Amino acid sequence: MKIKTKLNIGVGLLFMMIIVLSVLSAWYINQLKKDTGNILVANYNTLEYSRNMLLALEEINTDPLAFSVFEKHLDKQKKNVTEVGEKEATEKIATHFSVLKKNPQNTSIQSSIRKDLTELMQLNMSAIQHKSIVADKTAKNAIAVISIVGTLCFLMAFILMVNLPSNIADPIRILTQSIRQIANQDYKQRVHFESNSEFGELARSFNTMAEKLHEYSESKLEKILKGKKRIETLIDNMQDPVIGIDENKKVLFVNNEALNITGLKKENFVGQLIQDIAITNDLVRNIIKDSMQPGIKKESGTMKIYAGGKESYFEKDIIDINIIPTGEQDSQFIGQVIMLHNITPFKELDLAKTNFIGTVSHEFKTPISSIKMGLQLLENDKVGNLNEDQKNLVNGIKDDTNRLLKITGELLNMTQLESGSIKLDIQPAEIADIVEYALESNRSSAEQKQIALHVNIDPESRFVLADGEKTAWVLNNLLSNAVRYSYENSEIEIEVKKQGNEIIFSVKDSGNGIEPQYISRIFDRYFRIPGTKKEGTGLGLSISKELIESQGGKIAVSSEYGVGSTFSFTLKEC
């Protein structure tokens, strides 16, 4: 049977039952109204008229108006004759009343009238009793019939309520579950419903679709397997180690390079939980330490691994695999791929570059020192006097030599930092000495540009835990830059303050400032702001950053273009 037909029958039956119950209730209520109305209209009025005539009869001897009252109610009674025998009784009263009017003192006639009135009242009381029995019987019949019909309506409604929703909801639920199975690639799922209903047609369409999907998946399985083999071959032949894990941290695949560096066999790797492998393998434990929580940003860094009889350097890259299933909106995490990029050749080149720069810078210092010594001899009046042109030439050579010596020193510092050969002597250092060194080194250049240097040191801050010499060099470099880039007749503020258990050194200049797009690159090596005509190598701030961070501190810059810049670094208080 069609679902639409079932709904029409069910709703139609309920509608008919409501109509039948309403008609029966209205008919019985109308019957009860008629029965009770007859009692009230006919019999009750007769009793009322009879009572009034009895009262008037008692006052006939004393009240002349009693005859008119009696006669008025007698006339009303004549018009209210409704029961069998009531007409005869009323006529007897009228006859005796006519005789009484002629002889008001006749007591026997009065007694006859009383008897007649009593008979009339008795007749109506019997009628009231009979009609009450009829009304009571009608009420009982109404209760019985309405109860039976109401019970039948309730039973039919209950049957419809139990069966009809389930007939509609159950197939929908089964179909929904089957669709989910199909979505999970279980193409063998089938549904079977009543063949004559709409759900039967839907089931046949669904089964046809599932069968076609099953055929399609079977036909594509060979292609999928070939594609899987291609990917596995590609991964195995990659020069970088690759490890794939699923959402439960089970290893799905691992290539030969990853097996070589870990020293494990494939059968002991694939199919195992990677955290179980990490328990017995330090390298695997180091690789996965940032991969256990998906969605959290993984820190990239260089790993040094001894493999193939030599030390190699790798950069780790952990990629979360998220997909959005068809028909859904939220992404779903299905695993991770861990890749180790072999950067050993780049490290070797970088080390060679560092050694080359260090060697060249060191070799430069000897001829530069000789040049400086020769300049000092030329400036000595005992050797001979120089004319103005010669003095200007010597001064130019001297400035270039100092600049070359400074560049050589910065290159040496950079190579020492890169190679790790620079030694830091971290101990309590006096803040006043560090600030005084920077001031003395830059006081002359500041006076030439008429720049006022203001120093503000927190009196509670006396010592800082740092390498005093390297920290003084950093502060000197920041102050030197501030003097170089500030306008003439301006001011520079050097401030040292305590914040918690840290000491903050800051240098605020009143130069042109730094454009916002260059702030993030200001500490990069060899970076110089485009268009600047000031001298420099672009290494000073980079070296300063590495020196501060190697002491466990932080360096930062804030700038407002056109107003000035503030460079600051933070170190721990002693």
Side-chain angles (χ1 to χ4, degrees), residues 19-125:
I19 292 175
V20 170
L21 194 60
S22 300
V23 170
L24 284 174
S25 301
W27 186 82
Y28 275 107
I29 290 171
N30 188 54
Q31 287 298 110
L32 287 172
K33 180 181 177 183
K34 287 181 179 180
D35 293 341
T36 55
N38 290 334
I39 295 173
L40 291 173
V41 173
N43 304 110
Y44 179 78
N45 289 340
T46 298
L47 291 174
E48 182 70 18
Y49 300 152
S50 299
R51 187 181 70 85
N52 290 332
M53 284 188 287
L54 281 174
L55 292 174
L57 185 63
E58 295 297 328
E59 296 178 355
I60 283 176
N61 295 325
T62 58
D63 188 358
L65 298 175
F67 281 101
S68 62
V69 173
F70 189 97
E71 190 172 6
K72 182 179 70 172
H73 287 96
L74 180 59
D75 291 337
K76 289 181 179 181
Q77 173 55 31
K78 288 178 180 179
K79 298 176 182 178
N80 194 43
V81 174
T82 56
E83 304 297 331
V84 178
E86 188 176 355
K87 182 178 180 181
E88 290 79 5
T90 303
E91 289 177 351
K92 284 176 63 178
I93 294 171
T95 303
H96 289 151
F97 181 68
S98 299
V99 175
L100 183 63
K101 285 197 297 184
K102 296 176 180 180
N103 187 8
Q105 303 299 326
N106 191 341
T107 55
S108 61
I109 292 299
Q110 292 181 3
S111 297
S112 297
I113 292 173
R114 288 191 185 94
K115 184 178 179 182
D116 294 337
L117 288 171
T118 302
E119 183 181 352
L120 179 61
M121 294 174 69
Q122 184 64 39
L123 182 65
N124 278 275
M125 289 178 66

Side-chain angles (χ1 to χ4, degrees), residues 11 32 45 80 107 109 112 116 128 140 143 156 328 337 383 392 438 451 453-454 485 487 509 557:
V11 175
L32 287 172
N45 289 340
N80 194 43
T107 55
I109 292 299
S112 297
D116 294 337
I128 288 174
K140 289 180 179 179
I143 292 171
M156 294 179 71
E328 298 184 14
V337 175
V383 177
N392 292 334
I451 296 174
L453 301 177
H454 300 290
Y485 290 101
Y487 299 116
D509 63 46
V557 59

